[in-house]
Amino acid sequence: EIEDIFGCLAYLSGASARELEVRDVVSFSVTLSADGVPWAADVQLASDEATLEEEVEASELGLFTGTLVSVAAGAGLAAVRCEDLQELFGKDLCAFYPDVSGLGANIGDAVSFNAVLHPHGLLQA
């Protein structure tokens, strides 16, 4: 739902993330940064036993070129816009900030990447 409204995923602070494990199901509220980026707030486990039930492999989509559109260095994430993937999926890709910063890329720069579509709909560069 967040992605449909804001065109990107809600970022999670490092402090909140340290309390969670991969595949935990959480509930949260959303706050917006000064530049309109959604951040997850009041993050809580949905229940003590809530995890995603099955591990499903991601699909590799191939090599694409896009534009770095935002960076949340503190959260370790960046967003990449690719017109081809926007047409197919209607959303930007998530990239890990260390991968982007290692390229020396800045917002507005063109970047090439291998795109992956995760089973839950996340596009990742």
Side-chain angles (χ1 to χ4, degrees):
E1 295 172 11
I2 300 300
E3 196 168 15
D4 290 338
I5 295 168
F6 297 102
C8 65
L9 300 174
Y11 293 102
L12 179 65
S13 74
S16 296
R18 280 190 279 280
E19 299 170 12
L20 301 171
E21 293 184 29
V22 173
R23 309 202 55 80
D24 281 345
V25 177
V26 297
S27 63
F28 60 93
S29 60
V30 175
T31 60
L32 295 178
S33 66
D35 56 350
V37 175
W39 283 85
D42 304 319
V43 179
Q44 298 176 11
L45 284 173
S47 75
D48 290 339
E49 298 177 8
T51 58
L52 295 176
E53 293 181 9
E54 71 180 67
E55 186 75 29
V56 181
E57 290 190 25
S59 301
E60 293 185 22
L61 302 175
L63 183 64
F64 292 87
T65 300
T67 304
L68 183 63
V69 293
S70 69
V71 171
L77 299 172
V80 176
R81 176 158 298 142
C82 172
E83 296 303 322
D84 292 335
L85 294 174
Q86 273 281 340
E87 286 181 29
L88 290 171
F89 300 102
K91 55 187 164 186
D92 293 337
L93 291 90
C94 177
F96 291 111
Y97 178 71
D99 295 340
V100 173
S101 64
L103 299 172
N106 296 306
I107 292 176
D109 287 350
V111 293
S112 293
F113 55 90
N114 285 306
V116 175
L117 177 63
H118 291 272
H120 55 283
L122 173 70
L123 280 171
Q124 183 178 350

